[in-house]
Amino acid sequence: AAELEYESVLCVKPDVNVYRIPPRTSNRGYRASDWKLDHPDWTGRLRVTSKGKTAYIKLEDKVSGELFAQAPIDQYPGIAVETVADSSRYFVIRIQDGTGRSAFIGIGFTDRGDAFDFNVSLQDHFKWVKQETEISKESQEADTRPKLDLGFKEGQTIKLNIGNMTSKKGGAAKPRVSGSGGLSLLPPPPGGKIAVPPIPPPSSTAIANHVTPPPVQKSSNASGADILLDLDAPASASKAAVSATTDLWGDFSTASSAVPNQAPQQSNWVQF
């Protein structure tokens, strides 16, 4: 896994001063005023990189890029990088070589903004490391927890009540009441009544006259005056005409007497 990790650059500062510092005699911390700030022991370029969860402070030559010293950092703030008590531009770092030997040296920046960027790059990296550790820890705890079985057991059912639909098997929804205009109306509230429109009574004239009389053909020689006279006729004349036309079949005896020359024939028909 370490071979698959790649190295990323977090911060690069072209000017950094390196100082040899005296051993610390008390626990009060380092002070930059105890160093020879006007005469740095080495000057070069600082580069902060990361590989996996470990950060590295590399001191390199400005021209050739040759590595002068390297300080691996596993925790920040920690013993690998410490700030001084009297300035924000100077730090004490612990450098290590390949054989495991280590030493403490002091570094300082001329510009205060460079010191701020150096400090923030380390803080951001280890903040990311902390988040990654918490996420991996939560995932491991989730794997060890018993998993919930949310599936349906054999024969298990559920019931849903949606709106006014009945939950019984085979039940039908309530029909909607149709109004006189053909529009579907909503069902009445509970306890309400529906007003049914009244049905008009059948006309007595339509019941009495089952057979519609044939239309009366008017003479083609009738003048416009006769038409006006017909319109001004009294109601009694119109009623007489209606009563005359209602008996369409006439009298069978009259019809038979109208033909005197025809001999009577015996028949089984009964004369009314």
Side-chain angles (χ1 to χ4, degrees):
E3 294 178 355
L4 297 177
E5 294 176 351
Y6 60 91
E7 186 178 22
S8 60
V9 179
L10 304 179
C11 179
V12 177
K13 295 301 174 183
D15 294 320
V16 63
N17 298 324
V18 177
Y19 303 92
R20 290 181 180 180
I21 59 175
R24 184 168 53 182
T25 57
S26 63
N27 294 330
R28 63 185 180 90
Y30 295 98
R31 296 179 62 89
S33 59
D34 298 337
W35 309 342
K36 298 178 181 179
L37 300 179
D38 296 336
H39 300 85
D41 295 300
W42 184 84
T43 301
R45 179 181 65 189
L46 179 141
R47 194 158 58 98
V48 181
T49 62
S50 66
K51 190 174 183 180
K53 296 182 179 181
T54 305
Y56 297 90
I57 299 175
K58 296 184 178 182
L59 302 176
E60 301 172 343
D61 186 83
K62 292 182 179 180
V63 180
S64 62
E66 182 181 359
L67 181 63
F68 171 74
Q70 177 176 274
I73 305 170
D74 297 330
Q75 184 180 358
Y76 183 78
I79 193 174
V81 179
E82 299 181 41
T83 58
V84 298
D86 56 347
S87 178
S88 61
R89 295 186 293 115
Y90 297 92
F91 303 86
V92 176
I93 63 175
R94 183 184 63 183
I95 59 175
Q96 293 180 352
D97 59 3
T99 60
R101 295 182 300 175
S102 62
F104 291 91
I105 61 174
I107 61 173
F109 300 95
T110 305
D111 189 358
R112 196 175 301 275
D114 293 342
F116 177 80
D117 295 341
F118 168 74
N119 191 17
V120 169
S121 63
L122 293 176
Q123 289 179 354
D124 291 344
H125 170 73
F126 286 98
K127 187 183 296 183
W128 171 81
V129 170
K130 183 178 179 180
Q131 293 176 354
E132 288 292 323
T133 304
E134 292 177 354
I135 292 173
S136 61
K137 184 178 179 180
E138 290 177 358
S139 62
Q140 290 177 359
E141 291 178 355
D143 294 338
T144 56
R145 294 173 187 171
K147 297 182 179 180
L148 297 176
D149 186 9
L150 302 179
F152 286 99
K153 305 298 186 296
E154 184 177 358
Q156 185 179 5
T157 59
I158 60 174
K159 294 182 179 180
L160 299 178
N161 187 9
I162 303 176
N164 295 328
M165 295 178 63
T166 178
S167 60
K168 296 182 180 179
K169 185 176 181 182
K174 295 182 181 179
R176 293 190 176 183
V177 182
S178 255
S180 58
L183 299 176
S184 60
L185 304 177
L186 294 176
K193 296 183 178 180
I194 303 175
V196 181
I199 301 175
S203 177
S204 59
T205 306
I207 296 175
N209 299 330
H210 293 286
V211 181
T212 306
V216 180
Q217 297 182 359
K218 293 184 180 181
S219 175
S220 60
N221 297 327
S223 61
D226 296 336
I227 297 174
L228 294 177
L229 290 175
D230 292 339
L231 293 176
D232 295 337
S236 60
S238 62
K239 290 182 180 180
V242 171
S243 62
T245 56
T246 54
D247 193 2
L248 298 178
W249 302 103
D251 191 358
F252 288 100
S253 61
T254 306
S256 61
S257 63
V259 187
N261 297 328
Q262 186 176 359
Q265 297 178 2
Q266 294 182 358
S267 175
N268 295 329
W269 294 94
V270 178
Q271 183 176 0
F272 295 95

